[in-house]
Amino acid sequence: MKRLFFVFASIIPLVIHAQTLKTDVLVIGNGNAAYAASFQSFKSGVKTILLTQKEQLDLNKVTAAKAFYQVFLKRETENAKSLESPKQKPEKKNQTKVIVVDSTLLLNVINNTPYTEIKRSGSGWEVKLTKDKSIKAKILVLADHPEKLIAALKINSLSAASSGPLNYNENTYRTSVAGVTSTGANFLSLYSLLIPNQENLLYIPADQFEIGPAAGATAAYAAFFDTKTSLSNLKRIQGELLSYKHAVMPFADVKPADSNWLAIQKIGITGIIKAEIKQNKAYFNPEKEVLYAEIKEPIKEYYYKAQLWFDDHRNIPINLENTISLVCYVGNKSVEATKAELQKKWDKSYRFKSSYDLKKVLTRREFSVIINEYLKPFDDVNVDKTGRVIR
């Protein structure tokens, strides 16, 4: 998505004078999922309102287990320490109730304000706050009780998006938009977020923080490009989440601070190198040597030309020299130029701890970085809703 620079401003109380507030994305809810969805939505560049029915968001009250979320919020709020916040004028007795909005450049937080009605408004939504005040939004993310919405839509029930166990028997893992690490080796498919026959609506569990960023990025995509949620571009949303260090694959042994984290995430979601799943956790095993047998079929699935290369190179060690041969053949690159470039990048750019050695069998880490850099399977090859590679 389009990158803009936004400062997360300090809380500035404002009184809504307009009868109708208009926004791109409206997030309703009081829990971690609502907070995460709204923060990701505004960080992705669209105007967002978070509507809570409880007291103001307090960083100290965020669940202690959500360490990453606490760090994220702390970093964003500290950006605003130098900004001055005007003091809120005290309300007069017997004054008609006003709605206080905590305002940032793109994110407005309306705290402790119940909504009386929710309904469709064209292709978007309208939520009534009082008799004469409402919010209109292009996209609605509901992380709250759905009773009012179910009644408005005249349906019997509404199922919240849910994650599932990571497995490689099917290719659905390639459609992942969030690595749900707190509950183990699970993944969330974009297509479980999209509700059949309900455009521009996302319904997520109130307590599942990990699903929030995926919902926020998906809502922001539809709003930013003025399209329907059903037309969401999987790769763009995955890329957006990755750019904010949200994992799309739940690897327990490769953290965002790892210098090769992005390449490992991208190769991991292609399935070219698969995780080992033990005790409901997924281990990428980045320092383990890569095997010919594990990469042959996945790379052939992504590239027609790889079939010929593997036919000519049977059961060989996946060392640096052979890997360069593979990427140069499939990607139409110069072998000598690629060798020279890799030698320069080996320790300075890639920060590999090993020495540059053409006969060295590569680790899964090293192989992932090279394949990601020179073939770009995640960036350049699409998959369908089932995760099948589209070449």
Side-chain angles (χ1 to χ4, degrees):
M1 292 181 202
K2 183 179 180 182
R3 281 287 179 274
L4 298 175
F5 175 77
F6 300 113
V7 177
F8 183 79
S10 56
I11 301 304
I12 304 173
L14 298 175
V15 176
I16 301 175
H17 296 290
Q19 298 300 307
T20 301
L21 284 176
K22 292 185 178 180
T23 188
D24 294 316
V25 174
L26 171 63
V27 181
I28 299 177
N30 303 295
N32 289 339
Y35 299 144
S38 59
F39 273 81
Q40 183 58 53
S41 176
F42 100 85
K43 290 292 285 185
S44 290
V46 300
K47 194 173 181 181
T48 304
I49 290 177
L50 169 61
L51 177 65
T52 80
Q53 289 76 61
K54 293 184 179 179
E55 60 187 6
Q56 181 171 330
L57 169 62
D58 183 349
L59 179 62
N60 295 321
K61 295 181 180 179
V62 176
T63 309
K66 314 300 183 184
F68 174 82
Y69 184 44
Q70 287 184 310
V71 172
F72 172 73
L73 280 177
K74 186 173 184 292
R75 182 180 70 239
E76 298 302 324
T77 52
E78 283 182 347
N79 286 341
K81 282 186 175 179
S82 62
L83 299 177
E84 292 185 1
S85 301
K87 294 181 179 180
Q88 182 181 1
K89 294 180 180 180
E91 295 183 24
K92 297 179 180 180
K93 291 184 178 180
N94 302 321
Q95 185 178 14
T96 303
K97 181 182 177 182
V98 297
I99 298 167
V100 178
V101 181
D102 300 331
S103 175
T104 69
L105 295 180
L106 280 178
L107 175 63
N108 289 333
V109 183
I110 304 178
N111 282 305
N112 196 26
T113 304
Y115 57 97
T116 60
E117 183 184 4
I118 185 169
K119 63 181 180 179
R120 287 277 185 188
S121 177
S123 61
W125 298 89
E126 182 177 9
V127 173
K128 285 283 188 179
L129 304 181
T130 65
K131 182 179 179 181
D132 57 355
K133 297 183 186 299
S134 63
I135 302 171
K136 285 190 175 182
K138 295 178 181 178
I139 315 295
L140 172 66
V141 179
L142 183 67
D144 192 26
H145 299 298
E147 288 80 7
K148 292 177 183 177
L149 181 59
I150 289 173
L153 296 177
K154 298 180 180 180
I155 57 178
N156 295 324
S157 62
L158 194 61
S159 298
S162 62
S163 59
L166 175 63
N167 71 81
Y168 295 105
N169 296 326
E170 298 178 349
N171 292 322
T172 317
Y173 66 89
R174 290 173 177 157
T175 68
S176 176
V177 286
V180 189
T181 55
S182 69
T183 51
N186 288 357
F187 79 100
L188 172 73
S189 170
L190 167 69
Y191 301 102
S192 72
L193 275 174
L194 307 180
I195 303 172
N197 305 315
Q198 296 295 339
E199 291 289 358
N200 303 335
L201 169 65
L202 305 173
Y203 174 41
I204 61 177
D207 60 343
Q208 292 192 22
F209 154 76
E210 297 89 349
I211 291 181
T218 303
Y221 175 87
F224 189 90
F225 291 103
D226 197 22
T227 188
K228 300 176 182 177
T229 48
S230 64
L231 300 178
S232 296
N233 184 309
L234 171 63
K235 290 289 184 180
R236 294 292 292 270
I237 295 170
Q238 288 174 325
E240 183 76 358
L241 289 166
L242 287 170
S243 71
Y244 287 107
K245 293 290 186 178
H246 291 299
V248 292
M249 292 295 282
F251 299 143
D253 54 347
V254 184
K255 304 299 183 183
D258 191 304
S259 59
N260 305 129
W261 177 85
L262 182 60
I264 289 172
Q265 281 286 312
K266 287 184 173 183
I267 295 302
I269 203 168
T270 66
I272 288 175
I273 293 184
K274 297 177 174 62
E276 179 185 11
I277 300 175
K278 296 188 300 184
Q279 298 180 337
N280 196 34
K281 289 191 176 181
Y283 297 93
F284 189 77
N285 299 320
E287 311 314 326
K288 183 179 178 181
E289 289 186 348
V290 68
L291 302 175
Y292 179 94
E294 69 178 320
I295 64 165
K296 176 183 175 182
E297 295 304 322
I299 291 182
K300 285 165 57 177
E301 184 179 4
Y302 272 80
Y303 301 101
Y304 286 118
K305 289 186 69 175
Q307 174 72 58
L308 299 175
W309 188 90
F310 281 104
D311 286 346
D312 292 338
H313 301 78
R314 297 180 182 274
N315 298 316
I316 59 173
I318 304 301
N319 57 29
L320 179 56
E321 186 172 41
N322 290 330
T323 301
I324 291 173
S325 170
L326 169 63
V327 299
C328 289
Y329 181 81
V330 174
N332 298 315
K333 302 178 188 300
S334 164
V335 171
E336 293 308 315
T338 301
K339 286 181 181 179
E341 188 175 60
L342 274 171
Q343 189 168 15
K344 289 180 180 179
K345 292 182 175 180
W346 194 259
D347 53 358
K348 292 182 179 179
S349 296
Y350 301 147
R351 300 183 185 178
F352 293 150
K353 295 179 180 179
S354 62
S355 299
Y356 178 87
D357 180 358
L358 291 174
K359 298 303 179 183
K360 175 192 181 300
V361 175
L362 297 180
T363 64
R364 292 155 69 93
R365 170 192 299 277
E366 293 161 348
F367 184 81
S368 295
V369 170
I370 293 170
I371 293 297
N372 180 65
E373 177 88 3
Y374 289 94
L375 291 184
K376 302 185 184 300
F378 171 82
D379 295 309
D380 293 346
V381 183
N382 285 321
V383 299
D384 65 16
K385 291 184 178 182
T386 67
R388 182 181 63 87
V389 172
I390 304 172
R391 293 185 294 189

